[in-house]
Amino acid sequence: MRASILLPCLPLAGCLVHQELYDERADALGRGSWGVGFETDSDCLVVDARDLDLGDTFTFDAYLQGDAAPGPGLFPVVSWPGAFAVYQDTDGYLVMGSTDTSDASAGTSTSISLLDGARHHLAAGYGQNGYASLFLDGTRVAFASLDLAPTPGDTLYLGCWPEEEVAFRGVIGEVRLSAAAFYGTDFTPEWTPYPVSDATLALWHLEEGDGVEVRDEVGVAPGRLSGGVWVPFPL
């Protein structure tokens, strides 16, 4: 049996094409080879976070590829009302902060742009005596005091920020949330699918390649696509 998959026209990937992929091809791609493409402000990956126990120390990791020069706008990678958000703001700053405001001055930020058409590993860590760090491709690009006092809501959003009515532009390929501050110094991203460890709170390989249901490898925080499209994104 064959699976017919519509691949999107992302600025980083070329024009719209319709390809028929055999199930064997999908099986061969497998884990770590798919991602979700976000093209419009209504695209969103909605996660049931009721059973996610976020403490005062955590790390958010993602492999992704932003569109090249998508124009001015607010481009979220993750937003979790009451907890935290990671996004590129309207002035082009990469920010980790609360969801109370999208003002870069209220978070930990850097002027380095995430949306440049290149693949990146992004990590945001919190918990070093109230300090937050941002790492891009293993290099710490921001470190500052951040008053979060997380009180997470029941829903976490990947690639979108419904309260701001905006979404990411590009592909998110793998996402992990951990109850540990993994990165204190610069490191080299492995560019392989994340393993589950004792510190893993949730892990979305985004490996489905079809449908709207998104599995959490830990089994506590399933997601569902509302818009967005599956695209090949081999690590």
Side-chain angles (χ1 to χ4, degrees), residues 3-181:
S4 180
I5 299 175
L6 182 64
L7 301 181
C9 179
L10 297 176
L12 56 93
C15 62
L16 271 169
V17 293
H18 186 266
Q19 297 182 359
E20 290 185 335
L21 303 177
Y22 288 92
D23 285 343
E24 290 83 358
R25 167 79 186 279
D27 292 339
L29 282 171
R31 173 174 157 179
S33 295
W34 291 96
V36 176
F38 298 83
E39 296 184 302
T40 73
D41 285 338
S42 61
D43 293 344
C44 193
L45 203 171
V46 182
V47 172
D48 181 351
R50 288 174 294 180
D51 294 326
L52 276 179
D53 185 15
L54 186 70
D56 55 7
T57 298
F58 62 87
T59 299
F60 172 87
D61 292 89
Y63 289 108
L64 46 76
Q65 182 173 12
D67 290 352
L74 180 64
F75 304 108
V77 177
V78 57
S79 63
W80 191 357
F84 70 98
V86 180
Y87 55 94
Q88 185 163 307
D89 76 355
T90 54
D91 293 319
Y93 281 78
L94 179 60
V95 184
M96 179 184 184
S98 75
T99 54
D100 295 336
T101 176
S102 59
D103 184 352
S105 65
T108 301
S109 65
T110 174
S111 60
I112 298 175
S113 176
L114 182 65
L115 285 90
D116 57 4
R119 292 189 174 209
H120 292 292
H121 176 266
L122 173 67
Y126 182 76
Q128 299 174 327
N129 297 317
Y131 277 78
S133 298
L134 282 172
F135 291 84
L136 191 61
D137 300 322
T139 299
R140 188 161 69 179
V141 294
F143 179 71
S145 176
L146 180 62
D147 184 14
L148 280 183
T151 54
D154 289 342
T155 306
L156 178 152
Y157 303 97
L158 295 174
C160 57
W161 195 338
E163 291 177 339
E164 299 285 345
E165 299 183 335
V166 293
F168 190 64
R169 291 296 187 274
V171 181
I172 298 178
E174 178 113 350
V175 181
R176 176 178 65 176
L177 184 64
S178 306

